[in-house]
Structure formats: structure tokens, C-alpha cells
Amino acid sequence: MSQLTQNTLQRIDKWLSNGLSIDTMFPKLEQKYRMQLCYEFYKRWVQNNDIDPKTTCRNIARRDYALFMKQAGQGNREAQEMVMALHIDIDDEGNIKPRTITELTNDVAVCNHIIRFFMTDESPRHKAMYLNSAEWLIRTGKQQNNDRAVDKGMQALATVYGNFLEEKDATEEMPDMSRIAITQDVSIVKRDRVNYTDEYKKKMARKYGLTAKDMQDIAEEESLQEHNEKVPDYMEYMEEVLDDRAEKKEAEMDIPEEEGESEKEGGDDE
């Protein structure tokens, strides 16, 4: 008995992916039995990962061989065909011969292949099975003029592909900047998100006794600082300018008082 071919492994994948029957994918009785044997091993392996595939397959085959021989002796035609296909025989001591080393080696190869198949991500496999079922419904429904089957298949396809809705482009959800009008009422916003409104700036102007022209001069002086990398704080800058102006005014107010006192002192001397 030769080793497993790549074509056989591909048929195993197709059998497991599409959910087709063993009889459809493996018409030969020898291959059919191997798939049944290895799939039973896999179900046992799921319950206990420590079992040995060669020992387990040998024990399963010993049980099945005895059953086939018994049923074949009773005239069961299917059992007789299986005995012939698997070359089941009895040794000189009257015992049923076990599976050969080559057969067990191929059994182990199929068992490992099935394990690797189910250990991978199952979502693509499930999607493929769902799609195949939907396409089968549509194809069969058209052949038999069964509108209900076609409709069910189309609904299944729509479910897989999200009702064929295209993904939204994030740029389409952005606002249309051409429709945003920037007026003169834009207020200055600090980096800490504090918004100085026009009313607040007018309040500060009244507090420091500034006129509209003074405020305009402050704004012009601030605009000259825009070339600096650091963004200036509007209120700190305005307070510094106002403090400087207040100091200048106090200095100007102090000069006449000193001159008047000096003239008064001079008159007393006379």
C-alpha cells in the first residue's frame, strides 16, 4: 500500500470544509474506512490529547475487523465487500490479522492532518461552508424552479456579505469646510481651552480704564508677536502692557507735584 498523495490530503480538506459525505468524497471502500477510523480517533483525541494515534487506530480497527468478519459470515453483503477491500484475514492461530505497519502509518498521517485542520482558525472554514450551502441552494433552486430555495440562498449570501453595503469613507463624515463662515466674532482661545469672549475683554478694559483705541493698540502689538514660536497668552500679555501704561501714567502724574512743591519751597525762601 502506497503512502498518501497530496491529492488525497486536498480531498480530505474539501471533505471537512464543505461538509460532504464520505461516500461522495471517497468512493473506494479502503479510503472510506480510513476516514471513518481517523475521524473517530479525532473525536477521542478532543477528549484526551494524550492518546497515541497508532495504538488507538489499531484498537479501533481490531474492533471493526471482528464486526466485519461476523457480519460477513452472516451474509451481509456490505460487510463482505469491506472484508475484501481491507484484505481482512485470519492467521494460523485463528485470530484476525491486525492492520499492517503501512496502513497504520497512513492512518496516523491522516489523523495528524485532521488535527491540524481543526486547530487552525475556523472562521474562514465556516464562512466557506456557509457560502457553499448558499450557492447550492441557489443552484438547486434554479434547476428545480424552486423560488423559495433561491430566495433562501440569496438571503444567506446577503448575510455573509453584510447586505452588500460598502464601507463608509471616513472623509465623507468630515464637515464641509467650504460651508463654515468665519466671522469677526471669533474669540481667542488659550491652549488650556479657556475662552476669552469680547464681553470679558471689555470688562478688563473698563477695569484698567482703557479706551477703544488702547485696545486696538494692544491687539496690534500682540499681532507683532505672532512670529514667535511660543503662542502668547492674551490676558497675560494685556496685563503686562496695562501695567506698563499704568506705571507711565503714575510717573507722569508725579512730575507736576514735585515741580509745584519746588516752586512753593522757593517762594518761602524769598
Side-chain angles (χ1 to χ4, degrees), residues 2-167:
S2 60
Q3 295 182 351
L4 296 176
T5 63
Q6 188 65 28
N7 182 41
T8 302
L9 297 178
Q10 292 176 356
R11 289 166 64 188
I12 294 174
D13 291 342
K14 190 175 182 181
W15 163 51
L16 297 174
S17 299
N18 299 338
L20 301 176
S21 65
I22 295 180
D23 296 333
T24 301
M25 295 303 302
F26 306 99
K28 294 183 179 181
L29 293 179
E30 180 186 350
Q31 294 179 344
K32 175 183 175 181
Y33 176 72
R34 172 169 287 119
M35 299 308 141
Q36 293 174 338
L37 172 67
C38 295
Y39 195 70
E40 181 175 347
F41 160 79
Y42 172 74
K43 290 189 292 185
R44 296 187 182 187
W45 178 85
V46 172
Q47 302 298 327
N48 181 11
N49 298 157
D50 295 330
I51 61 176
D52 178 63
K54 181 177 291 187
T55 303
T56 304
C57 290
R58 183 188 295 113
N59 294 335
I60 295 174
R62 182 183 295 112
R63 177 203 66 190
D64 293 340
Y65 281 14
L67 180 62
F68 292 151
M69 290 292 290
K70 180 180 179 181
Q71 292 178 346
Q74 295 174 351
N76 188 309
R77 184 175 179 179
E78 293 182 357
Q80 293 174 353
E81 292 177 351
M82 190 66 73
V83 169
M84 295 294 294
L86 298 178
H87 306 286
I88 302 175
D89 198 1
I90 299 177
D91 58 17
D92 298 336
E93 298 179 357
N95 299 320
I96 298 176
K97 293 182 179 180
R99 284 176 77 80
T100 64
I101 299 299
T102 303
E103 289 175 333
L104 288 174
T105 300
N106 290 338
D107 293 341
V108 172
V110 173
C111 291
N112 291 332
H113 188 79
I114 294 176
I115 291 175
R116 286 193 298 268
F117 178 87
F118 286 107
M119 287 295 289
T120 56
D121 184 12
E122 296 186 0
S123 57
R125 181 173 62 86
H126 292 164
K127 184 177 180 180
M129 294 171 60
Y130 199 84
L131 286 174
N132 289 332
S133 299
E135 292 173 355
W136 179 85
L137 281 173
I138 297 172
R139 182 172 59 256
T140 306
K142 289 181 178 180
Q143 293 173 354
Q144 300 178 357
N145 294 325
N146 188 337
D147 296 338
R148 184 177 180 182
V150 175
D151 182 64
K152 291 292 185 181
M154 293 301 297
Q155 291 180 9
L157 284 179
T159 301
V160 172
Y161 291 106
N163 295 324
F164 302 99
L165 296 177
E166 298 181 357
E167 296 183 358

